């Protein structure tokens, strides 16, 4: 028997965080993938995760053909009063299929990424901010203020690719400061200790100092205000999903990004953890005109962060069916007491036995797919690296849509 030989794929897009690094080198040998260069620990683990032998869909834990699983999912959707489509970790084609199905069945679309993402949206809708891009963040700022330390988990290669890259267009010295969080391991980052619970208050104080208000503030915060005042290109960066008290904190950060532009330049760059919800928001905006969470219960798409919040709909059982999509294995589905249809990365064990479980392919590994980066200005095409018999999220959702009973069709 002839041994299969590994081939090396270069400039591979990594789909395992919303930074979407596009420089990985990955060895492909049959179904086995191994990151050989550039990937972080998360990417190495996620690319190398083996596929299970048994990839069959399941109904209440029992293996069935895909047609049977899709048929049962369609039955559940056809009889649901308010299905909730959540998770939303898929590529653009998969998310298009989600939105189409939600529209047909009068459902709700909410990625359920938490209060930080909603606070961010509120700040944009109510007062706006000056948003930056990853390219700008990499090349331009002479001062970067990291708020909290969530950036490290949200985008493991942020330091190497954006904060301190080997080369920048603007080569003026750059100062990196982190307010709060654990002390950074990189000596280039100055640490300003701040308890998590006090972050919002400290940013509010910082804002007051920068507006020359007569406030009582610690010397370290005054020194930070002076550094921000004298810098010419300031970047404020935080991880959306890990901010404490995000409603207040994001409000102050957004205001700071606007106010600093009165003198010099300043931009804000919130980091999302995964590309699916970023892609879903872009898709909803151009397709329905409104961002998530969106409800189609009344026919027309309606955005309402309270009425259509997935967490609340689940807790109150107002949503009577959960359809959870996670093609990359980012997050476990919430444990719910209503029937659930799970479309999740093959090899991931859900925390409960759902009514329907369909293992699906991962975009960027098992099939090509378009994903939006955290700064929302660039969609990258992640290519497929291996052949598996796994269906994509879009294919499964199309099968479910095809089996929907009338009049939901
Ligand atoms: S930082 Fe994110 S996109 Fe880059 S290799 Fe790690 S997980 Fe992948």
């Amino acid at each position: 028997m002839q041994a299969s030989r590994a081939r090396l794929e270069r400039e591979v897009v990594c789909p395992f965080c919303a930074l979407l690094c596009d420089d990985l080198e990955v060895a492909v040998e049959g179904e086995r993938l191994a990151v050989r260069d550039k990937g972080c620990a998360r990417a190495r683990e996620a690319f190398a995760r083996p596929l299970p032998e048994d990839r069959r869909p399941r109904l209440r834990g029992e293996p069935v053909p895909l047609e049977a699983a899709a048929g049962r999912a369609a039955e559940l959707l056809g009889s649901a009063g308010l299905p909730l489509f959540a998770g939303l970790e898929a590529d653009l084609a998969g998310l298009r299929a989600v939105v189409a199905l939600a529209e047909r069945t009068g459902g709700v679309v909410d990625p359920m990424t938490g209060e930080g993402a909603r606070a961010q949206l509120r700040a944009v809708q109510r007062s706006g901010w000056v948003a930056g891009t990853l390219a700008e963040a990499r090349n331009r700022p002479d001062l970067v203020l990291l708020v909290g330390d969530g950036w490290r988990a949200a985008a493991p290669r942020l330091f190497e690719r954006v904060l301190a890259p080997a080369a920048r267009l603007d080569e003026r010295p750059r100062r990196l400061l982190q307010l709060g969080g654990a002390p950074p391991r990189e000596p280039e980052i100055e640490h300003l200790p701040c308890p998590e619970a006090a972050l919002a208050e400290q940013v509010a104080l910082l804002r007051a100092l920068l507006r020359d208000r007569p406030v009582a503030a610690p010397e370290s915060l005054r020194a930070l205000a002076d550094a921000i005042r004298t810098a010419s290109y300031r970047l404020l960066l935080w991880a959306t999903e890990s901010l404490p008290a995000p409603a207040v904190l994001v409000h102050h950060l957004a205001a700071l990004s606007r106010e600093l532009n009165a003198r010099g330049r300043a931009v804000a760059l919130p980091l999302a953890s995964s590309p699916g919800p970023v892609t879903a928001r872009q898709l909803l905006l151009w397709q329905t005109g409104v961002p998530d969470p969106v409800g189609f219960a009344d026919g027309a798409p309606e955005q309402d962060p309270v009425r259509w919040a997935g967490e609340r709909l689940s807790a109150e059982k107002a949503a009577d069916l959960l359809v959870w999509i996670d093609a990359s294995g980012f997050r476990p589905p919430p444990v719910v007491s209503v029937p659930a249809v799970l479309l999740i990365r093959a090899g991931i064990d859900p925390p409960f036995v759902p009514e329907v479980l369909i293992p699906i392919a991962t975009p960027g590994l098992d099939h090509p797919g378009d994903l939006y980066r955290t700064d929302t200005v660039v969609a990258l095409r992640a290519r497929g690296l291996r052949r598996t018999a796994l269906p994509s999220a879009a294919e499964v959702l199309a099968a479910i849509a095809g089996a929907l009973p009338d009049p939901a069709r």
Side-chain angles (χ1 to χ4, degrees):
M1 203 167 75
Q2 205 176 13
S4 64
R5 293 185 43 193
R7 68 174 200 279
L8 195 62
E9 294 276 348
R10 293 193 166 83
E11 297 180 355
V12 170
V13 172
C14 170
F16 294 110
C17 85
L19 207 53
L20 294 181
C21 298
D22 56 359
D23 60 348
L24 274 64
E25 290 189 11
V26 178
V28 183
E29 187 172 6
E31 285 191 345
R32 277 188 301 179
L33 304 174
V35 175
R36 290 277 183 251
D37 198 15
K38 303 286 175 51
C40 65
R42 181 188 303 173
R44 286 195 296 276
E45 188 280 327
F47 274 87
R49 194 178 293 168
L51 288 169
E53 286 294 314
D54 188 351
R55 302 167 198 179
R56 288 175 293 175
R58 290 176 184 262
L59 287 186
R60 292 181 296 281
E62 293 303 317
V64 292
L66 177 60
E67 296 68 35
R72 178 65 183 136
E75 249 174 54
L76 289 166
L77 270 169
S79 59
L82 187 67
L84 168 62
F85 295 82
L88 309 187
E89 300 290 0
D91 65 324
L92 193 57
L95 293 166
R96 266 188 216 283
V98 169
V99 173
L101 204 48
E103 198 171 0
R104 276 179 68 181
T105 56
V108 171
V109 179
D110 183 8
M112 292 174 69
T113 44
E115 196 40 47
R118 292 204 186 103
Q120 194 165 300
L121 188 63
R122 269 197 302 277
V124 172
Q125 287 174 325
R126 289 184 186 170
S127 53
W129 61 28
V130 183
T133 66
L134 284 170
E136 191 176 10
R138 175 188 169 105
N139 287 301
R140 311 305 302 190
D142 55 352
L143 183 140
V144 178
L145 178 62
L146 304 161
V147 181
D149 60 2
W151 59 273
R152 190 183 300 284
R157 290 178 70 202
L158 189 79
F159 182 79
E160 160 201 343
R161 287 184 54 91
V162 176
L163 300 180
R168 296 196 281 126
L169 288 180
D170 185 336
E171 292 190 337
R172 280 177 302 175
R174 168 178 288 183
R175 206 165 160 197
L176 301 169
L177 301 116
Q178 180 186 300
L179 180 63
R185 52 177 178 260
E186 297 84 358
E188 295 89 340
I189 304 177
E190 300 167 51
H191 187 219
L192 307 166
C194 172
E196 198 173 81
L199 259 183
E201 182 194 332
Q202 294 291 293
V203 173
L205 263 181
L206 182 63
R207 214 182 132 205
L209 288 169
L210 285 160
R211 285 184 294 166
D212 299 320
R213 297 282 159 83
V215 290
E219 201 42 51
S220 58
L221 208 63
R222 290 186 181 280
L224 174 60
D226 285 342
I228 292 175
R229 200 178 274 119
T230 52
S232 58
Y233 209 124
R234 288 71 53 100
L235 169 68
L236 308 172
L237 188 147
W238 63 91
T240 309
E241 287 148 39
S242 62
L243 281 186
V248 181
L249 194 41
V250 173
H251 162 77
H252 285 305
L253 289 167
L256 194 53
S257 80
R258 294 192 310 271
E259 290 158 6
L260 285 174
N261 277 285
R263 266 181 301 178
R265 172 90 171 132
V267 291
L269 181 56
L271 295 177
S273 300
S274 55
V278 181
T279 308
R281 183 164 289 180
Q282 294 305 104
L283 170 76
L284 284 167
L285 281 169
W286 81 63
Q287 208 156 295
T288 69
V290 289
D292 53 275
V294 177
F296 293 93
D298 302 325
E302 180 201 29
Q303 196 260 350
D304 188 325
V306 177
R307 188 179 184 203
W308 303 129
E311 294 84 351
R312 192 185 61 74
L313 294 174
S314 293
E316 295 173 3
K317 294 195 203 167
D320 52 0
L321 176 69
L322 172 70
V323 182
W324 182 265
I325 300 107
D326 183 0
S328 298
F330 277 112
R331 296 180 284 151
V335 179
V336 288
S337 50
V338 296
V341 175
L342 308 183
L343 275 55
I344 57 179
R345 181 178 179 180
I348 302 278
D349 287 326
F352 58 93
V353 178
E355 182 73 18
V356 181
L357 169 67
I358 305 181
I360 55 172
T362 302
L365 272 60
D366 306 322
H367 67 90
D370 298 306
L371 297 163
Y372 270 85
R373 252 177 17 188
T374 189
D375 55 3
T376 71
V377 294
V378 174
L380 292 181
R381 180 81 171 161
R383 60 184 191 262
L385 300 174
R386 63 184 172 193
R387 282 170 194 269
T388 70
L390 289 164
S392 67
E395 287 166 344
V396 171
L397 291 161
I400 294 173
L404 266 179
D406 289 328
R409 272 176 192 250

